[in-house]
Amino acid sequence: MPSSAFAPPAFADVLAAAARIAPHAHATPVLRMRSLDALAGCALHFKAEHLQRGGAFKFRGACNAVWSLDPAQATPGVVTHSSGNHGAALALAAGTRGIACHVVVPENAVATKLAAITASGATLHRCEATLAAREAACAAVQQRTGATLVHPYADARVIAGQGTAALELLNAGIGLDALVVPVGGGGLGAGTAIAIAGVSPSTRLFLAEPAGAADTAASLARGARVTDIVPETVCDGLRATLGAPNFDILRAAGAEAITVDDAETLAAMRLLWQRGKQLIEPSSATALAAVLQQRERFAGLRVGIVISGGNVDPHALYEASALLGTGA
C-alpha cells in the first residue's frame, strides 16, 4: 500500500479505537520484576500483551478494524495474510461479530500459530512464502468472496487499534521516559508513536528489531525504506518488511531502532521465563534484549516494554536455542 494513498490515523482515532474495542479486548496488566530492574539498571514496566485475547497485541488492531466496518462491508467477512498472530486475532475478532474470516498463510508458517488460526474459526488459504504470493492470494479471495481486506500492519484501523496498548500503559500514571516495542511490519510501533504524541510527547520511542531482519534500522538510517533484506531470524513475528505508512509515521516521530541478535533475544526470553514466570515468544523478547544491550542508555530511567505476544512453539524454540548454544 503506497503511503501516498494512505490517510494515517490521528490520536483521536486511537481514542476511538479504545472505546470501540473495550467490550471485547482485555485491558492487560503492567508487570514489574524487581530482579530484572536490578539487571537492567532501570525501572521496567512490562505491558503484558501476551495475556491479550489470542495471545498477542494483534487482537486490538484486528478488533478495531472488524468493528469499524459498516454492515454492508461486514456481511461478506474479512480477509488477510498472516504468518500467525494477526490471522488468529482477525479470526477471533470476526467471531465477535459473527462474520467469516479468510487467512492466507505462507507455507513456512509456524504450526502452532496455524492451529490457533483454525481454532479461532478462520478458513486457511496456503501460498508460497513471498509477499507477492500473499497479496495475490488475498486478491483472489477478495474477488471470490467480497471480503474486506484487513492488512496486518499497513491499515489505519489496525494501527489505531495497536496504539491502544501504549495508550493504556501511558495512562497508568508511571511517567515513562522511554517506551520500547518490537518492530516488524511496524503497526505496533506506528500506533505507539501516535499514542505517545497524544499523551506523553517527552517519552522517547525505541524499536527493537532482530539483526537478521533489520530493515527498519536501515530504513531510518537511510531516510527511505529498505525493502531488499531477506529476513533470517528466530523471531517469526518480525520477518515482515516495514510498511510504507508506518515508516512515515515512525520517521516523523523520531523513533530509534535498536538491533539485537537472536542469541540476545533468546537470553532475554529465558530471563522472563525464569525470573518473571512469563511464557512469551521470541519476537516479544527483543524489547527486553534491546534494553539489556543498551544498559547505559536506559540507566536510571522509567522504561515501558510491550510484551507483544506469547504464541511460542516450544519444540521449534528448543531447536533454535540448541542451535545457538543458549540452552532451552
Side-chain angles (χ1 to χ4, degrees):
M1 180 185 298
S3 56
S4 61
F6 183 88
F11 181 59
D13 297 306
V14 176
L15 294 177
R20 190 175 290 119
I21 71 175
H24 311 287
H26 299 320
T28 54
V30 179
L31 307 179
R32 298 298 316 279
M33 304 175 199
R34 303 294 181 179
S35 66
L36 291 185
D37 286 357
L39 188 63
C42 59
L44 300 172
H45 302 263
F46 295 92
K47 182 62 171 166
E49 284 298 294
H50 60 306
L51 304 180
Q52 185 55 259
R53 291 187 66 177
F57 76 94
K58 296 279 190 177
F59 181 75
R60 294 175 178 271
C63 188
N64 188 50
V66 163
W67 284 96
S68 295
L69 300 175
D70 64 40
Q73 291 174 312
T75 298
V78 289
V79 60
T80 194
H81 59 80
S82 170
S83 61
N85 283 344
H86 175 69
L90 188 62
L92 277 175
T96 66
R97 196 163 178 180
I99 61 176
C101 178
H102 302 270
V103 181
V104 172
V105 298
E107 58 190 8
N108 64 346
V110 176
T112 53
K113 292 189 176 182
L114 293 184
I117 294 172
T118 55
S120 299
T123 300
L124 292 184
H125 305 266
R126 296 180 183 270
C127 71
E128 293 181 7
T130 67
L131 180 59
R134 290 186 183 201
E135 291 178 342
C138 271
V141 173
Q142 278 187 279
Q143 185 174 20
R144 185 170 69 252
T145 65
T148 296
L149 175 66
V150 179
H151 194 279
Y153 48 85
D155 183 304
R157 302 160 300 186
V158 169
I159 293 169
Q162 314 304 33
T164 62
L167 180 69
E168 291 175 7
L169 180 56
L170 292 164
N171 280 334
I174 300 165
L176 293 176
D177 300 301
L179 183 46
V180 189
V181 304
V183 64
L188 176 61
T192 298
I194 295 166
I196 286 174
V199 178
S200 180
S202 64
T203 300
R204 294 188 61 190
L205 174 59
F206 294 88
L207 310 167
E209 185 172 44
D215 61 290
T216 297
S219 297
L220 292 175
R222 181 181 296 182
R225 285 175 71 230
V226 174
T227 60
D228 58 355
I229 291 176
V230 178
E232 185 175 351
T233 175
V234 70
C235 303
D236 63 278
L238 302 181
R239 293 172 185 159
T241 300
L242 179 66
N246 301 323
F247 167 71
D248 292 339
I249 293 169
L250 292 171
R251 185 185 182 197
E256 182 176 344
I258 299 173
T259 60
V260 292
D261 62 37
D262 282 354
E264 291 174 308
T265 294
L266 292 175
M269 183 175 57
R270 191 166 64 252
L271 281 170
L272 282 164
W273 285 356
Q274 293 174 337
R275 301 196 184 190
K277 312 308 176 190
Q278 302 301 311
L279 180 64
I280 68 169
E281 59 189 272
S283 299
S284 296
T286 56
L288 175 59
V291 174
L292 294 175
Q293 182 200 92
Q294 302 284 322
R295 195 177 189 277
E296 292 185 2
R297 176 179 295 186
F298 294 101
L301 301 182
R302 293 161 295 184
V303 181
I305 289 179
V306 175
I307 302 179
S308 54
N311 296 315
V312 62
D313 181 343
H315 179 70
L317 191 57
Y318 178 84
E319 290 182 340
S321 298
L323 182 63
L324 291 167
T326 58

